């Protein structure tokens, strides 16, 4: 029986393991951490966003520069297939108002338990606390609690993640083995660092809703939250590409009110009304928005409307990479075949966040990890079969 090795026990690696096991390979998953899919479980604590109910073209657009490379994988395993896969594992789903798809349980753990049971029933074996250290000829080398170990497999799928959330296993150390075949890692889906004045402390934890954000040529209507470190949330994450390159951030505090209408509303200030009362009554600006206006808008101009439509948010750049949800960078697509096999190492494939792509939150990250894992797992099984056939003919 042909053998398959998966290095990394996150969603991409587990999907590759399942594909190879279905094809009849004897599969071992080697994971550096004490348990599998730790980042997956952490992401699911606040509601596991599996995918997004969206047509293929707008779905692909979220991957920007990597859309062409990822297209065949997402055509084969896109949002509809992700839904079917989760339901086959006994997880009822629902779709939110923004099209995001979640398990009804709103957690990752029930799905992961069902998935691991299925993999176990298929004969997939797991090794935890096995950290990959490189190659010795054809063999993969590992540091383990029992000392150095080597594994010889007919095919290998590498699924070691990017370089965020190191404590959960994605530390990017593997990249040192690949030299210039790896694009430098950069934070993606990451919060913004803002040095607040003391007057902002009462707003820490306050949500910012019904806002519009602009950074460089990117725009977002997503929400975010004021934190002690700065700003977090989907609205900010969508601008990560521009913000990490130093683009200024501009916030529209009243995106649904045109400038002329906003001026008209501001002109209706009652005699004796404080500015805070006026903004609350006529524009329904909540305390968080009013605080931001005071933080970044003073001295306030007589014509306040343009400032409310384009409030500059002074910031110190994005938060450190280890605080990012995901990373850009990784193994370049020109270093792999369309099958995701390494061009300079036949029989070895790379998947998930090891590859050089990024996408916003909203189901895009997990879908692409699953899709690349399935694609490479099937290709690895085909490669093993063709290799066995060639050997038999000899």
């Amino acid at each position: 029986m042909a053998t398959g090795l998966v290095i990394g026990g996150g969603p991409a690696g587990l999907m590759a393991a399942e594909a190879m096991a279905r094809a009849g390979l004897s599969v071992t998953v080697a994971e550096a951490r004490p348990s599998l899919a730790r980042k997956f479980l952490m992401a699911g604590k606040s509601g596991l966003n599996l995918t997004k109910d969206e047509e293929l073209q707008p779905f692909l657009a979220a991957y920007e520069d990597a859309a062409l490379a990822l297209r065949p994988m997402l055509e084969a395993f896109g949002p509809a297939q992700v839904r079917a896969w989760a339901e086959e594992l006994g997880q009822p789903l629902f779709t939110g108002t923004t099209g995001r798809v979640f398990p009804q349980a709103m957690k990752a753990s029930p799905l992961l338990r069902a998935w691991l049971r299925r993999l176990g029933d298929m004969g997939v074996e797991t090794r935890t606390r096995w950290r990959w250290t490189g190659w010795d000829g054809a063999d993969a080398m590992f540091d383990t609690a029992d000392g150095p170990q080597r594994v010889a497999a007919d095919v290998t799928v590498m699924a070691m993640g990017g370089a965020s959330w190191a404590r959960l296993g994605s530390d990017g150390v593997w990249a040192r083995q690949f030299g210039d075949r790896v694009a430098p890692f950069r934070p993606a889906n990451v919060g913004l660092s803002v040095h607040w004045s003391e007057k902002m402390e009462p707003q820490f934890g306050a949500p910012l809703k019904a806002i519009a954000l602009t950074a460089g040529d990117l725009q977002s209507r997503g929400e975010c939250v004021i934190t002690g470190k700065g700003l977090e949330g989907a609205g900010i994450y969508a601008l990560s590409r521009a913000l990490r390159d130093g683009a200024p951030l501009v916030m529209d505090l009243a995106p649904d009110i045109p400038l002329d209408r906003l001026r008209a509303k501001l002109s209706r200030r009652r005699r004796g009304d404080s500015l805070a009362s006026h903004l609350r009554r006529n524009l329904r600006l909540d305390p968080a928005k009013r605080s931001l206006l005071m933080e970044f808008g003073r001295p306030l101009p007589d014509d306040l409307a343009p400032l409310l439509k384009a409030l500059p948010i002074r910031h110190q750049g994005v938060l450190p990479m280890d605080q990012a949800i995901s990373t850009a960078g990784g193994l370049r697509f020109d270093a792999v075949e369309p099958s995701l096999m390494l061009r300079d190492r036949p029989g070895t494939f790379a998947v998930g966040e090891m590859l050089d792509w990024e996408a916003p939150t909203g189901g895009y990250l997990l879908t692409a990890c699953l899709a690349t894992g399935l694609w490479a797992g099937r290709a690895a099984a085909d490669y093993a079969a063709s290799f066995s056939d060639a050997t038999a003919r000899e």
Side-chain angles (χ1 to χ4, degrees):
M1 180 184 292
T3 58
L5 171 65
V6 176
I7 306 174
L14 295 178
M15 186 61 85
E18 181 169 347
M20 288 192 288
R22 285 189 184 280
L25 274 66
S26 174
V27 181
T28 299
V29 176
E31 165 58 43
R33 305 304 293 173
S35 58
L36 302 177
R38 288 191 160 199
K39 188 175 177 181
F40 178 69
L41 288 172
M42 178 63 75
K45 279 193 171 182
S46 57
L48 180 64
N49 186 187
L50 285 170
T51 190
K52 189 169 185 184
D53 186 6
E54 194 170 46
E55 294 297 322
L56 182 64
Q57 281 306 123
F59 193 85
L60 281 170
Y63 300 92
E64 298 194 13
D65 296 342
L68 183 62
L70 292 173
R71 184 183 186 107
M73 299 148 214
L74 292 167
E75 285 179 334
F77 197 81
Q81 291 79 13
V82 172
R83 293 182 65 117
W85 166 78
E87 289 168 347
E88 286 172 5
L89 286 167
Q91 303 303 304
L93 307 175
F94 74 93
T95 303
T97 55
T98 60
R100 297 184 180 194
V101 179
F102 301 85
Q104 287 185 9
M106 288 297 288
K107 294 187 295 186
S109 51
L111 187 151
L112 180 61
R113 284 195 299 269
W115 195 7
L116 294 179
R117 279 196 302 270
R118 184 161 78 183
L119 291 172
D121 292 342
M122 297 170 70
V124 174
E125 297 186 1
T126 60
R127 303 285 186 268
T128 55
R129 294 188 173 91
W130 277 42
R131 176 173 287 275
W132 181 75
T133 58
W135 305 100
D136 183 6
D139 295 350
M141 304 300 297
F142 296 89
D143 278 342
T144 79
D146 298 321
Q149 301 284 338
R150 67 171 59 228
V151 177
D154 294 311
V155 288
T156 298
V157 175
M158 307 184 78
M160 290 181 282
S164 63
W165 293 17
R167 65 189 176 87
L168 301 179
S170 297
D171 56 18
V173 172
W174 60 265
R176 299 170 189 168
Q177 302 274 355
F178 291 87
D180 60 6
R181 287 170 290 174
V182 175
F185 288 116
R186 294 169 294 160
N189 294 302
V190 63
L192 191 66
S193 175
V194 181
H195 293 170
W196 305 112
S197 69
E198 292 182 358
K199 293 182 179 179
M200 285 296 296
E201 289 185 11
Q203 303 306 322
F204 292 172
L208 290 166
K209 301 181 178 182
I211 58 170
L213 299 162
T214 302
D217 59 356
L218 300 180
Q219 296 181 331
S220 168
R221 280 297 301 262
E223 300 176 0
C224 59
V225 176
I226 300 172
T227 73
K229 294 181 179 179
L231 295 170
E232 290 273 1
I236 288 293
Y237 301 157
L239 307 179
S240 291
R241 285 175 180 261
L243 293 172
R244 71 184 176 217
D245 291 334
L249 177 65
V250 175
M251 185 179 296
D252 184 343
L253 298 176
D256 298 318
I257 306 177
L259 180 62
D260 290 346
R261 186 175 160 208
L262 193 61
R263 280 199 175 105
K265 283 178 171 287
L266 288 168
S267 69
R268 299 171 192 156
R269 186 170 178 177
R270 298 177 183 178
R271 182 176 298 177
D273 246 3
S274 68
L275 179 60
S277 296
H278 178 51
L279 294 174
R280 175 179 54 80
R281 181 179 294 114
N282 281 349
L283 300 183
R284 302 194 177 185
L285 288 192
D286 58 33
K289 290 182 179 179
R290 297 199 304 270
S291 296
L292 284 177
L293 180 63
M294 295 299 108
E295 181 79 356
F296 296 116
R298 290 183 297 179
L300 297 179
D302 292 336
D303 185 4
L304 198 55
L307 185 63
L308 290 168
K309 297 294 290 181
L311 180 68
I313 306 296
R314 295 186 296 275
H315 64 84
Q316 286 68 50
V318 298
L319 293 172
M321 188 155 55
D322 197 48
Q323 297 178 36
I325 291 175
S326 61
T327 48
L331 195 63
R332 301 178 191 274
F333 279 101
D334 60 12
V336 298
E337 302 283 354
S339 65
L340 300 183
M341 184 169 70
L342 303 187
R343 293 187 185 277
D344 62 353
R345 195 171 187 90
T348 299
F349 301 74
V351 299
E353 289 190 70
M354 280 188 70
L355 298 168
D356 182 17
W357 60 274
E358 64 178 306
T361 57
Y364 303 104
L365 293 169
L366 184 53
T367 299
C369 285
L370 295 170
T372 56
L374 180 64
W375 185 266
R378 288 173 171 171
D382 290 343
Y383 183 88
S386 64
F387 186 80
S388 296
D389 291 345
T391 303
R393 286 195 297 271
E394 292 176 1

